[in-house]
Amino acid sequence: MANESVLVIGGGVAGVSSALKLAENGFQVYLVERGPIIGGQAAVFCCKATETCSQCSVCLVPEKILEVAANSQISLVVNSEVVGISGGIGDFKVDLLQKPGFVDPEKCIACGICTELCPCEPQKGIYLPFPETAPRTYIIDKNQCLRFKGAECNVCQDNCPAGAIDFEQKPKELEVSAVIVATGFEVFDAREKGLLGYGRYSNVLTGLDLERIFATGDSVTLPSSGECPRNIAFIQCVGSRDEYIGNGYCSQVCCKYAMRFAKLLQYQNPEAKVTIFYIDLQTAGKGFGEFYKECKETIRFVRGIPVEVCKLSPNELEVKYEDLTKGKITKESYDLVVLSVGTAPRKDSWDLARVLGINLGDYGFFDTQDTLDSSRTNVNGIFLAGTCQGPRDIPESIAHGIQAASKVIQTLTARAI
Amino acid sequence: MDNGLKLGVFLCDCGGTLSKVTDFSAIKAKLQKLSDVTYVGISHDLCLKRAQQAMQKDIKDKGINRVVVAACSPELHENDFMNVVQSAGVNRHLLSMANIREQCFWAHPDKGKAAKKAMTQIGMAINRARFLEPVEQTQISVNKDVLVIGGGITGIQAAIELSNLNLKTTLVEKEATLGGKLNRFANLYPVQVSPEEVLATKLKQVAESQNIYVLTSAELIDVSGEVGNFSARIKRGNGEFVRNFGAIIFATGYTTQFSSQIYGLELSNNIITQSQLEEMLKSSSEVKQIPKSVCFVTDISDEHSRVSPLSALRNALGIKEKFRGEVCVLCQNLKVDGAGLEKLYRDCRNKGVLFIKFDNSPRISKQDGKIKIEVEDVLMSGEQVTLPCDLLVVEETSVPPLDSKVLGSTLYMGLDAQGFYQENNVHLYPTASNREGIFFAGNCHADLDLMQALTDASNVALSAYQLLAQGKIAVEAEKVMVDPNKCRFCLTCIRACPHHAIQEAKVNHEKMVAQIADLACQGCGICAVVCPAKAIKPKDWSDEQILAEFELLGEYV
Ligand SMILES: Cc1cc2nc3c(=O)[nH]c(=O)nc-3n(C[C@H](O)[C@H](O)[C@H](O)COP(=O)(O)OP(=O)(O)OC[C@H]3O[C@@H](n4cnc5c(N)ncnc54)[C@H](O)[C@@H]3O)c2cc1C
Ligand SMILES: Cc1cc2nc3c(=O)[nH]c(=O)nc-3n(C[C@H](O)[C@H](O)[C@H](O)COP(=O)(O)OP(=O)(O)OC[C@H]3O[C@@H](n4cnc5c(N)ncnc54)[C@H](O)[C@@H]3O)c2cc1C
Ligand code: SF4
Ligand code: SF4
C-alpha cells in the first residue's frame, strides 16, 4: 500500500484537506485543479472579525494552502481537468487535459516585478491573487492582459528575472489507485432572481461581492456614490430553499455569513442600520448562540422574504415585502441591498459525472451509494469530498475531506491484505 | 571572537527586486567583517530548488555550523530552509531567519530607512544564531491499541474504521448493550434505513472483526501516562483491571433533560418528551388511544440545537402518516441547515402538518386534563391562535452524560460552557482534545446529526491511525526541558501546562522534579514563563537568544 498514489480532483478546501491527510499518511497525491491556483471559492473570502473573532473559519484556508505548498508528497497539477479514466480501484489510468497557464509555477519566485511593470491600469494583467497562493505563482488575468486583447505586449515575459512566463505546456497521463472528487460548488447567480435587481442596480450586491470587497481590505462603499452605506438590507435564501428554481435545500452558510457581515458593517460604521429579511434563522452550531444574542441587540430581524427591489433614485432602493405583523405589502427604502446567495451545484458536474461514471443525486450534487457513508460513490475506488456532495461550511468541508481520505486508506488497506 | 562558530549568511534579493532599492554588496561587505561569519552569499531566488541545492553545497563545503537566512517571511519557506540545513548535515534547529522583504522593504515606503531596519534584523538574526542549540530527533515506540469509550453509533463506527485500518480497539460501553440512542428511535432521517437495520449492520461488522474487543457494562475509572502509552483502569462488575493503549477516543454521547420551568408544566400522560414519543412509536402496541391532535413544541429550550427540530419534523411526519389526525409543529426558527431537512419540512407540509411560528413563547395550560395552547402566529399577523391538543410533545435539551465532569477532571480535559468536551481548536482540530493522543467524536462534544457523527468517527479513526500506525512516533527530544538542578518542585508548571505534559519524576532516587513528556508537549512555552526558578528552557527561544536579539534593537528604534 505504501507509495500508492491517489488523485484528488478539485483544489478547494475539501480537496486540499483530503490531499494533506493522504500525504501525511505516506501516499503520493496528485491534486488536479482546473484553475491556476488552489484554494477554491473560500480562498478569496474575507476574515469577518470585528474586535473579536466571529469564527467564520475563512482563515483556515490560507493555512491549509501553505501546508500543501510545503508538502513534497503532493504534486499540484493546475490548469488541468480530467477528461478520461479507465481501469479500476488499484490501477486507474487518468487522462488530463492541461491548459497553458502562461506562468510556470516551478520557476516563479513571486518577486512582483511583472505586476509593477504591467501597463494595464487600474487592474493589472498579471498579479498574485492573494498572499498565500499555492503554487506560489503570479497569474495572468485574461480579462485584463493586453495580449488577450490583441496587443503585442511582452513586458512581463521580457522582464521576469526567473524566466517563468512561458506559453508551452504538455498533456499528462496519471496512474493512481483511487480518486477523490472534490469539485465544490457554484455560488448561486443572483441574476436568476431578476426582481431583486442584481446586475441592474449598482447598489444591489451579493454576499460574494461583500466577501471580495472586504478581502481586499477595503471598506464597503456604495457603488453609486462611493459613500459609506447607512441603511442596509440583507435578503436571505436567495437561490436556496426554493423548489421553483430547483434548489429545494438550505445552503447552510448564508444566515451565518449575513449576521457576521452585518456586525462587520456596523463595526465599520457604528451608525449603520442593518435589517435582515429571513424565513428561519439558522443559528445551530457550537458557540453561535452567543453571537446571535449580540446580533439581536443591534440588528433588526424581519420575517419574510422581499419580492422586489426597485430603484427610487441613484442612491435609494425600495424593498417591497409583506409585513407579516400587519399582513400588508410594505415598502421601505435602503441605500444598500445585499442578497445572501447560497450554494448551488456546479453546472458542469454532469460532464465529470459522465467521464467518471458516477451518479448525480438530488438537485445536481454528486450522489452517495451508501446512505451511511456520504463519501462513497457507485464506482468502487472513487470517493466524494466537500460541497460537491451537498452544502457545507468550511469546517464541515474539511471534516468531509478528511473522511474521504480515511475511506481511501481503509479501502486500499483492505485490498492490500 | 573564537567561539568555534562558523556562521553562513544567505541573503536573497528576491529576483533582483530588493537589490534595486538597496546595495546588497554593501550588506555583504559589512557582514563579512564579523569574525565568526565564515560565508556570505547573495542569491536571487533562494526559494527555488536550484538555489537551495547550491546553499546546501555551500554549507557543506565551508563547514558552516550556524545558518542565517535573510529573505522573505519565514511563514513561506522556513521549513524548506530547515530541510536544506538538515540535508547539509547540520541540525535543523541551527537556523535563524530575518524577514527583510515583508517586514522591511515591502512595509516601508522610505527605502533608506527600510534598508537600515533590514540591517538591524539581519544583525538580530545573527546574534540569535550564536545561541542556537541543536534539538535532536528521536523516535519513541508506542502501543498501537486504541481505547474507545462509549458504544453508541459513533464509538461503534470509530472501532470499525480503526479495525479496517488494522488497529486493535477496545470498545467500552457502560450499558449492557451497544448502540446508544439509536436503540430508542423508531426511525431516522435523512438516512433511509431503520435504526434497527443500521445497528444490525454495524454490530455484524463489529462481531466479524478480529480487531475489536467489546466490553459492555464497563466503565473507565482513571487514566495515567501519556500519548503512545496510556494505562487505563477499567471497572467491570466487581472487578477492575488495567490495560495499555496508545490513544483514547471519547464517544460518550449525550443525555437528554426536560426542563419543566421553560413550559411551566410537568410531564404527564398527555404531555410527553421527544424521547418518550420515540419509545412510544417504537413499540406502537403501547399506543392505546390514538391521539386526534398532536402538537410539537421545539426550538424553545435550546434555540441553537439542530437535532431536536429534526426529531420533531421526523416524528410529525411519522405520526401524520401513521395515525392521520391533526399534527402541528410550533417553533421560532425551524432549523433546516442539515442534509435533506428542507425536503423533510416540505414533505411535512405536503402531508398536511401545520407549522406555527412564534416570537413569544406559547402559553400552555391544562384544564380538566385537557391541554390548551395559546400562541401568536407571526405568519398570520400575530393573530392569537388557540389550539386544542390531545398529546403535547415537548422538547428536551441535550446535556453531557453525568460522568463527563468527573472524567474530564480526572483526565485533565477541558469542558465547554454546557459541560460538553471542549475541542482543542473548534475550527482546526474538531476532534482533538487539549491532550495529545486523546480525541472526541460524536455528540459528546457537539450537537450533531447521525451523518455528522459518522464523519467525526472517520476523522477520529484517521487521527489515531496517523499517530500510531508506524508503531513509533518521531519527536524532537527535549525541545523544552527542565533543569533538574534548578527545579524546586513547586508544581507551578504542572498546573500551568494546558496540555498536561508535565509530570513528576524522581532523579537519582531522591529529589522530586518536574519532567516534560516530549510526546505530549506542544512547545507553547507557558511553563518556561511561569517557572519561578527559571528552570525551564524552550531551546528555540531561550532567554539568551532573545536577549542577544534585543542588544541590537536599540540601534533601529
Ligand atoms: C457567499 C458565500 C460566503 C461563504 N462564507 C463562508 C464563511 O464565512 N464561513 C464558512 O465556513 N463557509 C462559508 N461559505 C461556504 C464555503 O465557501 C464552502 O464551504 C467551501 O468553499 C467549500 O469548499 P470545497 O472545497 O467543497 O469547494 P470549492 O471551494 O468550490 O472548491 C472546489 C475546487 O475545485 C475546482 N474544480 C471544480 N471542477 C473541477 C474539475 N472538473 N476539475 C478540476 N478542478 C475542478 C474549482 O476550481 C475549485 O478550486 C460561503 C459560501 C458562499 C457562497
Ligand atoms: C430526540 C432526538 C432525535 C434524533 N433524531 C435523529 C435523526 O432522525 N437523524 C439523525 O441523523 N440524528 C438524529 N439525532 C441525533 C443522533 O441521536 C446522534 O447523532 C447520535 O445518536 C450520536 O451518537 P453517539 O454515539 O455520539 O452518542 P450516543 O448515541 O449517546 O451514544 C453514547 C454511548 O456512550 C455510552 N457512554 C456514555 N458515557 C459512558 C462512559 N463513561 N463509559 C462508557 N460508556 C459511556 C452511552 O451509554 C451510549 O451508549 C437525534 C437526537 C435526538 C436527541
Ligand atoms: S442558511 Fe439561511 S439564508 Fe441560507 S439557505 Fe439556509 S435559511 Fe436560507
Ligand atoms: S511548553 Fe507548553 S506544552 Fe510543553 S510542557 Fe511547557 S507548558 Fe506544557
Side-chain angles (χ1 to χ4, degrees):
Chain A
M1 201 181 66
N3 303 327
E4 278 193 90
S5 51
V6 178
L7 166 68
V8 178
I9 309 175
V13 69
V16 158
S17 305
S18 298
L20 279 170
K21 272 294 159 214
L22 288 164
E24 284 165 14
N25 283 291
F27 289 82
Q28 180 64 42
V29 183
Y30 297 102
L31 184 53
V32 171
E33 165 59 48
R34 161 186 286 168
I37 48 165
I38 60 165
Q41 306 267 12
V44 293
F45 289 176
C46 67
C47 163
K48 300 176 191 67
T50 53
E51 256 157 22
T52 49
C53 166
S54 72
Q55 307 211 325
C56 76
S57 308
V58 168
C59 56
L60 299 185
V61 182
E63 217 161 285
K64 297 258 164 204
I65 295 174
L66 289 180
E67 277 179 55
V68 170
N71 197 314
S72 58
Q73 297 272 100
I74 304 177
S75 318
L76 289 180
V77 191
V78 291
N79 293 312
S80 302
E81 269 178 63
V82 173
V83 288
I85 193 164
S86 58
I89 183 164
D91 60 333
F92 283 110
K93 290 195 179 47
V94 182
D95 295 321
L96 295 182
L97 183 71
Q98 197 159 34
K99 293 169 286 179
F102 314 118
V103 184
D104 184 351
E106 308 256 295
K107 289 189 184 150
C108 173
I109 57 171
C111 65
I113 285 192
C114 48
T115 305
E116 212 175 298
L117 298 179
C118 173
C120 303
E121 287 297 347
Q123 173 69 280
K124 296 285 188 176
I126 182 165
Y127 49 77
L128 194 65
F130 50 94
E132 300 88 358
T133 54
R136 206 175 154 69
T137 176
Y138 278 59
I139 61 164
I140 298 232
D141 183 341
K142 289 189 217 164
N143 295 325
Q144 304 297 336
C145 173
L146 297 177
R147 283 188 78 103
F148 294 88
K149 295 177 178 162
E152 295 229 338
C153 174
N154 249 343
V155 172
C156 57
Q157 194 169 2
D158 293 347
N159 285 286
C160 174
I165 303 169
D166 165 30
F167 293 87
E168 292 297 313
Q169 269 159 6
K170 45 219 162 307
K172 257 192 188 158
E173 203 188 76
L174 301 175
E175 289 182 7
V176 295
S177 299
V179 179
I180 293 178
V181 179
T183 48
F185 69 105
E186 228 169 72
V187 180
F188 177 76
D189 184 355
R191 286 181 188 81
E192 286 184 39
K193 288 278 191 183
L195 285 177
L196 297 179
Y198 187 68
R200 289 189 289 140
Y201 311 137
S202 58
N203 288 356
V204 178
L205 298 177
T206 63
L208 183 65
D209 294 331
L210 286 198
E211 291 280 3
R212 292 194 172 144
I213 295 169
F214 278 117
T216 56
D218 292 344
S219 55
V220 170
T221 52
L222 292 178
S224 63
S225 64
E227 276 168 35
C228 193
R230 288 156 204 274
N231 194 7
I232 306 147
F234 278 82
I235 301 179
Q236 296 308 109
C237 298
V238 176
S240 318
R241 304 190 67 183
D242 188 343
E243 194 64 36
Y244 295 106
I245 53 165
N247 293 353
Y249 53 83
C250 165
S251 287
Q252 306 186 17
V253 290
C254 6
C255 279
K256 289 190 174 121
Y257 81 59
M259 284 187 239
R260 289 177 175 128
F261 275 136
K263 272 272 170 210
L264 195 54
L265 285 162
Q266 288 182 330
Y267 179 68
Q268 178 190 311
N269 174 15
E271 311 280 272
K273 287 194 277 179
V274 182
T275 305
I276 298 183
F277 292 95
Y278 69 98
I279 306 175
D280 293 290
L281 290 172
Q282 306 304 322
T283 55
K286 200 163 186 168
F288 200 79
E290 284 303 305
F291 184 75
Y292 174 56
K293 219 184 264 166
E294 281 171 34
C295 286
K296 279 205 282 197
E297 284 166 17
T298 57
I299 299 167
R300 176 173 162 242
F301 287 96
V302 177
R303 224 185 264 267
I305 297 296
V307 284
E308 194 175 359
V309 177
C310 306
K311 188 155 128 184
L312 293 181
S313 71
N315 292 325
E316 207 179 355
L317 295 164
E318 185 182 73
V319 172
K320 220 191 272 180
Y321 71 101
E322 187 190 346
D323 183 344
L324 293 170
T325 57
K326 300 199 184 80
K328 273 206 312 232
I329 296 289
T330 309
K331 294 172 185 168
E332 277 175 14
S333 87
Y334 291 91
D335 51 15
L336 180 69
V337 171
V338 181
L339 309 183
S340 294
V341 287
T343 316
R346 291 189 68 98
K347 296 206 177 66
D348 56 15
S349 291
W350 173 216
D351 296 329
L352 192 63
R354 200 172 35 200
V355 169
L356 298 178
I358 57 176
N359 293 339
L360 287 176
D362 284 353
Y363 310 115
F365 293 102
F366 290 119
D367 201 11
T368 52
Q369 172 77 354
D370 176 350
T371 51
L372 289 177
D373 182 351
S374 53
S375 316
R376 199 167 292 272
T377 67
N378 53 311
V379 179
N380 192 14
I382 301 186
F383 299 83
L384 302 174
T387 48
C388 66
Q389 192 268 326
R392 283 184 171 80
D393 62 8
I394 293 168
E396 284 188 30
S397 298
I398 293 175
H400 203 237
I402 296 175
Q403 168 174 334
S406 182
K407 300 285 163 151
V408 166
I409 301 176
Q410 289 173 42
T411 311
L412 296 179
T413 306
R415 274 176 50 86
I417 300 169
Chain B
M1 206 191 305
D2 185 20
N3 44 15
L5 294 183
K6 287 184 160 186
L7 268 68
V9 186
F10 296 83
L11 308 168
C12 177
D13 69 1
C14 192
T17 52
L18 304 186
S19 49
K20 266 198 199 139
V21 288
T22 193
D23 183 0
F24 267 62
S25 45
I27 300 180
K28 179 172 172 172
K30 252 192 201 163
L31 296 177
Q32 274 170 332
K33 291 200 190 112
L34 299 172
S35 61
D36 51 359
V37 171
T38 309
Y39 172 80
V40 184
I42 301 176
S43 159
H44 304 304
D45 44 19
L46 215 49
C47 54
L48 297 187
K49 282 249 153 54
R50 187 166 23 97
Q52 289 175 5
Q53 279 158 3
M55 176 177 168
Q56 180 198 356
K57 191 165 176 298
D58 285 331
I59 298 172
K60 265 195 192 148
D61 291 353
K62 315 261 167 15
I64 292 167
N65 55 20
R66 291 285 188 286
V67 179
V68 176
V69 174
C72 51
S73 163
E75 281 265 326
L76 299 170
H77 295 292
E78 185 174 39
N79 196 43
D80 297 339
F81 297 134
M82 286 177 108
N83 291 342
V84 172
V85 171
Q86 184 172 3
S87 64
V90 178
N91 188 280
R92 58 192 280 122
H93 287 258
L94 300 180
L95 165 81
S96 159
M97 280 191 75
N99 176 356
I100 58 170
R101 192 175 76 168
E102 283 86 345
Q103 287 184 358
C104 301
F105 294 105
W106 280 11
H108 305 290
D110 181 337
K111 300 302 168 204
K113 282 189 181 159
K116 232 175 122 191
K117 181 176 170 190
M119 201 54 225
T120 307
Q121 302 237 57
I122 297 171
M124 287 168 72
I126 290 177
N127 276 10
R128 173 167 172 250
R130 294 191 177 116
F131 291 95
L132 288 175
E133 288 179 54
V135 176
E136 297 307 330
Q137 314 266 327
T138 53
Q139 290 195 320
I140 298 182
S141 52
V142 293
N143 186 321
K144 285 170 72 170
D145 296 353
V146 181
L147 173 64
V148 178
I149 309 290
I153 188 69
T154 313
I156 294 174
Q157 182 68 16
I160 292 172
E161 299 205 11
L162 283 164
S163 160
N164 291 344
L165 292 163
N166 276 336
L167 292 185
K168 291 204 169 19
T169 312
T170 302
L171 183 56
V172 172
E173 166 60 52
K174 72 174 170 202
E175 305 293 333
T177 50
L178 294 178
K181 299 297 170 301
L182 251 49
N183 285 315
R184 309 205 198 142
F185 297 157
N187 48 40
L188 280 171
Y189 192 87
V191 174
Q192 300 298 336
V193 212
S194 74
E196 291 88 9
E197 264 175 86
V198 172
L199 279 180
T201 324
K202 296 292 172 192
L203 291 178
K204 184 160 171 269
Q205 280 172 282
V206 170
E208 281 169 1
S209 165
Q210 305 284 316
N211 292 333
I212 306 175
Y213 178 60
V214 179
L215 279 172
T216 46
S217 308
E219 267 179 271
L220 177 69
I221 307 293
D222 192 14
V223 172
S224 58
E226 76 252 350
V227 52
N229 226 329
F230 289 112
S231 51
R233 202 144 58 87
I234 298 167
K235 189 175 128 198
R236 194 183 194 194
N238 296 325
E240 243 184 60
F241 53 94
V242 175
R243 285 245 171 91
N244 295 335
F245 300 96
I248 303 177
I249 295 170
F250 278 82
T252 48
Y254 62 102
T255 51
T256 49
Q257 195 177 53
F258 170 71
S259 153
S260 57
Q261 284 143 345
I262 291 170
Y263 296 88
L265 288 172
E266 294 299 330
L267 297 177
S268 62
N269 62 337
N270 54 3
I271 303 182
I272 62 171
T273 65
Q274 291 182 329
S275 312
Q276 287 172 317
L277 177 75
E278 300 276 4
E279 275 163 43
M280 212 173 99
L281 291 173
K282 194 156 176 115
S283 50
S284 342
S285 53
E286 261 185 43
V287 187
K288 292 182 199 85
Q289 209 180 349
I290 292 173
K292 281 211 197 66
S293 56
V294 183
C295 282
F296 290 83
V297 181
T298 178
D299 197 35
I300 174 166
S301 55
D302 181 2
E303 276 181 58
H304 309 294
S305 159
R306 203 179 281 124
V307 286
S308 115
L310 163 58
S311 156
L313 281 175
R314 171 165 56 78
N315 290 322
L317 186 64
I319 291 183
K320 188 82 194 174
E321 283 174 343
K322 210 162 174 174
F323 304 125
R324 316 263 161 210
E326 292 295 327
V327 180
C328 179
V329 177
L330 292 98
C331 63
Q332 290 187 66
N333 284 292
L334 198 67
K335 300 294 180 294
V336 289
D337 60 337
L341 294 188
E342 177 70 16
K343 186 162 176 287
L344 177 61
Y345 178 32
R346 204 168 40 246
D347 288 349
C348 283
R349 280 177 299 170
N350 289 346
K351 287 267 156 61
V353 175
L354 193 67
F355 284 83
I356 293 181
K357 298 205 178 145
F358 56 81
D359 284 333
N360 304 320
S361 295
R363 288 168 303 285
I364 305 168
S365 53
K366 216 171 161 182
Q367 275 169 356
D368 308 328
K370 283 223 158 199
I371 304 164
K372 189 169 106 185
I373 304 174
E374 290 166 294
V375 60
E376 287 135 38
D377 182 349
V378 293
L379 299 185
M380 301 287 286
S381 323
E383 192 179 306
Q384 177 90 25
V385 191
T386 308
L387 298 164
C389 145
D390 294 340
L391 183 67
L392 174 65
V393 184
V394 292
E395 167 181 67
E396 301 152 282
T397 17
S398 304
V399 291
L402 290 176
D403 50 4
S404 283
K405 226 180 189 156
V406 181
L407 277 176
S409 71
T410 40
L411 270 74
Y412 303 91
M413 298 185 305
L415 301 177
D416 68 13
Q418 289 173 289
F420 287 105
Y421 292 123
Q422 178 62 50
E423 307 87 342
N424 197 25
N425 178 329
V426 189
H427 298 282
L428 264 183
Y429 311 107
T431 53
S433 75
N434 56 322
R435 288 191 65 186
E436 189 76 14
I438 299 184
F439 304 93
F440 309 130
N443 289 40
C444 67
H445 75 108
D447 174 62
L448 307 175
D449 65 26
L450 179 62
M451 292 313 279
Q452 292 172 317
L454 292 175
T455 297
D456 247 27
S458 271
N459 275 248
V460 88
L462 192 58
S463 299
Y465 172 80
Q466 189 169 335
L467 191 67
L468 305 176
Q470 305 303 323
K472 49 189 192 261
I473 306 181
V475 284
E476 308 211 292
E478 303 190 316
K479 59 181 180 289
V480 183
M481 64 179 294
V482 183
D483 181 344
N485 296 322
K486 288 190 189 159
C487 174
R488 313 293 281 272
F489 201 53
C490 65
L491 306 183
T492 307
C493 58
I494 296 185
R495 279 192 293 264
C497 175
H499 304 287
H500 195 57
I502 312 181
Q503 262 139 19
E504 47 195 66
K506 224 174 208 165
V507 281
N508 302 333
H509 305 288
E510 40 175 305
K511 191 183 167 195
M512 290 298 284
V513 294
Q515 196 173 56
I516 297 176
D518 290 329
L519 274 180
C521 171
Q522 307 292 307
C524 69
I526 289 175
C527 52
V529 178
V530 298
C531 174
K534 292 216 155 296
I536 305 182
K537 175 160 90 176
K539 281 193 181 162
D540 278 344
W541 295 103
S542 65
D543 289 357
E544 290 89 345
Q545 290 165 25
I546 292 171
L547 290 172
E549 286 193 319
F550 279 6
E551 264 171 40
L552 283 182
L553 200 55
E555 288 193 9
Y556 173 69
V557 186

